[in-house]
Amino acid sequence: MNIPPHWPEVTLPNSFGSSSPKEEQAFRFLKSLIWSMRLCDPAVALPRLDSLLMDESFRCFRETLLHIQFEANQTLAANSVTIPSWQAVVEFLDNYSIVTVEDLRAAVMDQLSNFQREIRGSEYNYWRNFFDNNERVDENRCSEEIASRLAPVFARQGVAVNIERMTVNRNRCDITFTKTFQGRSISLFVEVKGQWHKDLCTAATEQLHKRYLCHPDAADQGVYLVLWFGRSEMVAGRRKHKFASAEDLGLHLSNELPDSLKGKIDVVVLDVSKPD
């Protein structure tokens, strides 16, 4: 018996029953299966929804799949929100203190933005710290430089900045920001990659998300920090590439994030290239 690769799309009438043609019954069954994914755990459903959306056999269900995907992302985002205690709210309002992972992530993004302005605009030529004898330094040296610049700023708010912190399965995250508040620890994990790295386009998902953001202190949030040394440097292991600036690369990497991670992972491309 030859089984077709997929059932063809069928216009379904309002009435149906056991006497309906088998094509209608099969298509209705497929449709009900897809709608039943609304009842699944969003963390389980989202990878499967991504797979179905890429499968041309299910193109007639695309609008339905997108709708279910949107609802699942909303549910997942709502479940990951940390509601601070009233003490935390008072502490934040009185002292502008960091009390949640969301606060920590926003503060790190602000400080990286400030550091970027210093690198490009300061008379102290901070970009030189990312070069040694006119050659770029490696990712570890870059991570150390960034951490050393940010550590004093965050120390004033009780946040420790660590290099190569060990996590589950002996994985080591490049930079970690950690604060203990009311006996509870919050952490923001930062994965650092040079633009040349062969895993540049997958590290946000395969390393940052899968290895580090599962940590109970992380609230499923993180920062993917990429180092831009100029258009003459390789991108993802390739000499020939289309990227003319840090902004171009940042936009590309942000767009490449799966929808399930958008809003949870910030992509920052730090321009440390030599001035023209």
Side-chain angles (χ1 to χ4, degrees):
M1 176 180 179
N2 293 324
I3 300 175
H6 62 275
W7 287 100
E9 183 176 2
V10 176
T11 302
L12 296 173
N14 293 329
S15 60
F16 63 94
S18 58
S19 60
S20 299
K22 66 177 183 179
E23 291 82 2
E24 288 185 11
Q25 294 185 47
F27 194 74
R28 197 181 298 277
F29 176 68
L30 279 176
K31 191 172 183 179
S32 66
L33 276 180
I34 288 174
W35 275 109
S36 69
M37 295 180 72
R38 301 176 72 187
L39 305 176
C40 297
D41 183 333
V44 175
L46 282 167
R48 288 159 177 78
L49 288 166
D50 289 339
S51 178
L52 291 174
L53 282 166
M54 291 187 292
D55 190 333
E56 282 297 307
S57 301
F58 292 88
R59 62 184 178 275
C60 58
F61 295 110
R62 182 171 177 79
E63 293 302 318
T64 301
L65 291 167
L66 287 171
H67 178 76
I68 298 171
Q69 183 188 61
F70 175 77
E71 288 185 338
N73 278 317
Q74 279 193 318
T75 301
L76 199 62
N79 290 342
S80 65
V81 171
T82 303
I83 301 177
S85 65
W86 67 266
Q87 296 99 327
V89 174
V90 171
E91 173 74 8
F92 177 76
L93 293 176
D94 287 348
N95 302 312
Y96 301 101
S97 179
I98 292 170
V99 295
T100 67
V101 179
E102 288 85 354
D103 299 334
L104 188 52
R105 182 175 149 206
V108 169
M109 291 296 292
D110 283 343
Q111 291 306 321
L112 286 173
S113 179
N114 292 340
F115 189 31
Q116 178 68 92
R117 286 194 291 271
E118 289 182 354
I119 292 171
R120 301 317 310 164
S122 172
E123 68 274 19
Y124 298 110
N125 296 320
Y126 286 118
W127 62 270
R128 293 185 186 275
N129 295 337
F130 295 90
F131 291 84
D132 188 5
N133 292 326
N134 214 33
E135 296 292 331
R136 64 164 173 80
V137 299
D138 61 20
E139 292 168 351
N140 291 336
R141 284 274 302 277
C142 292
S143 296
E144 291 171 1
E145 175 64 26
I146 295 165
S148 68
R149 290 288 302 170
L150 300 186
V153 177
F154 283 96
R156 293 193 289 269
Q157 298 190 64
V159 177
V161 182
N162 298 301
I163 297 288
E164 294 285 328
R165 173 181 166 182
M166 186 175 290
T167 60
V168 66
N169 295 329
R170 303 184 69 82
N171 291 314
R172 293 180 180 272
C173 186
D174 294 318
I175 306 176
T176 308
F177 296 79
T178 305
K179 180 175 183 178
T180 300
F181 181 77
Q182 295 184 347
R184 182 176 62 87
S185 179
I186 58 174
S187 295
L188 185 80
F189 294 94
V190 179
E191 177 69 19
V192 181
K193 281 283 182 285
Q195 68 180 79
W196 59 87
H197 201 286
K198 63 182 179 60
D199 297 327
L200 178 73
C201 297
T202 60
T205 301
E206 297 301 318
Q207 290 182 249
L208 180 58
H209 180 248
K210 291 187 177 180
R211 294 183 186 177
Y212 310 128
L213 302 194
C214 58
H215 194 285
D217 296 345
D220 207 27
Q221 300 179 57
V223 173
Y224 183 38
L225 177 57
V226 174
L227 307 163
W228 173 262
F229 280 84
R231 63 187 305 172
S232 61
E233 178 64 62
M234 291 190 298
V235 172
R238 296 182 178 181
R239 284 290 177 193
K240 294 183 178 180
H241 58 81
K242 63 182 179 180
F243 304 104
S245 67
E247 291 76 13
D248 287 347
L249 182 58
L251 182 61
H252 172 77
L253 293 174
S254 295
N255 289 337
E256 287 295 301
L257 277 180
D259 288 341
S260 58
L261 296 183
K262 290 177 180 176
K264 295 181 180 181
I265 293 178
D266 288 312
V267 177
V268 181
V269 180
L270 196 66
D271 186 351
V272 297
S273 61
K274 298 177 184 177
D276 295 331

